[in-house]
Amino acid sequence: MTRHPDAHPQMADHWWWRPGWQPGRRFLTFHFTFQDAPEVHRLAAAYRTALTGASGLDLVPDRWLHLTTQGLGFADAVPDDEVQAVLAAAADRLTLIPPFDLTLHRPEITPEAIRWEAAPAGPPTAVRTALRDAIRSVRGTVEESDAGFAPHISIAYSNATGPAAPVQTALDAVDAAPATAHIDRVELIVLHRDQRMYEWDTHTRLPLGSQTPPEQPWGPSSGTSRKLAG
């Protein structure tokens, strides 16, 4: 992978409040998560150590490593019956997509984050397409554009403006083998960003390529939208 150290000479604050977001508000979204990915944790630890001395960064701990996939909507705006209908439609479609492996090499600098481009991009893109089809079949509309999806995992977010050169120097000092993660599910999570970090509770785990029923820690009668309206 070719790096472009001068492509983004300035870092920018990632934590500005995007439309609809506010403290205390929760968002329902589908992500791949990496709690059970020791190889990813190994690689993340190497880069966190290197980036510790670079100012203006919030480093992502193993628990909150994720690959953003497809939003469903704010928890206070999606009725529980629609959430369950989307999950049923998604589970049916995901039986046709087998588990896959993702490989992470060296992270890249973007203005607001340091992130790995996950390869290959095809399988997570196929999962995203299935999720979008499921959401559209229930709600008639889908959050976010279908264009420009680039599967990635962030190891740090920028919390200030400043030059990217020290960050690039820190990244260049790392000599670590690539990491591979086995992906056999996608999760619907209840996300917030109240503490300058993306944190969440797991709503439902949907298996890939399997007739195994989804795991629902929250359960269909949990009242997610009402409890997490903020």
Side-chain angles (χ1 to χ4, degrees), residues 3-24:
R3 288 175 294 139
H4 302 282
D6 298 324
H8 301 293
Q10 287 291 121
M11 305 299 294
D13 185 4
H14 176 76
W15 299 114
W16 59 279
W17 289 101
R18 288 151 177 81
W21 281 94
Q22 61 186 33

Side-chain angles (χ1 to χ4, degrees), residues 17 28 38 51 55 66 90 105 107 122-123 139 149 159 172 181 192 204 209-210 218-219 229:
W17 289 101
L28 291 163
L51 291 168
S55 63
H66 62 278
H105 293 275
R139 308 198 74 210
F149 175 64
N159 61 39
D172 288 344
H192 73 86
T204 302
S210 171
W218 287 71

Side-chain angles (χ1 to χ4, degrees), residues 30 87 90-91 94 131 184-187 204-208 214-215:
F30 291 95
L87 287 169
L94 293 174
L131 294 171
D184 60 5
R185 65 180 184 248
V186 66
E187 298 182 12
T204 302
R205 301 181 183 95
L206 296 172
L208 303 180
E215 297 178 33

Side-chain angles (χ1 to χ4, degrees), residues 131-203:
L131 294 171
R132 290 176 65 84
D133 288 346
I135 295 168
R136 190 178 291 109
S137 73
V138 174
R139 308 198 74 210
T141 186
V142 184
E143 291 276 342
E144 303 150 9
S145 168
D146 195 24
F149 175 64
H152 63 272
I153 301 163
S154 295
I155 183 60
Y157 294 100
S158 174
N159 61 39
T161 59
V167 177
Q168 187 66 63
T169 299
L171 296 179
D172 288 344
V174 177
D175 182 15
T180 298
H182 185 66
I183 307 297
D184 60 5
R185 65 180 184 248
V186 66
E187 298 182 12
L188 179 65
I189 63 175
V190 187
L191 182 75
H192 73 86
R193 41 160 295 174
D194 294 348
Q195 304 178 79
R196 218 164 65 181
M197 186 63 58
Y198 291 107
E199 301 172 309
W200 62 82
D201 292 303
T202 299
H203 183 292

Side-chain angles (χ1 to χ4, degrees), residues 63-120:
R63 179 181 180 184
W64 303 126
L65 292 169
H66 62 278
L67 193 160
T68 303
T69 305
Q70 177 58 52
L72 177 54
F74 285 103
D76 56 357
V78 185
D80 290 341
D81 59 343
E82 289 190 10
V83 173
Q84 294 305 317
V86 167
L87 287 169
D92 183 59
R93 288 163 171 78
L94 293 174
T95 62
L96 303 177
I97 301 176
F100 55 89
D101 289 343
L102 287 178
T103 300
L104 312 182
H105 293 275
R106 298 191 69 88
E108 303 285 328
I109 299 174
T110 68
E112 295 186 9
I114 317 303
R115 70 190 205 183
W116 291 284
E117 302 296 322

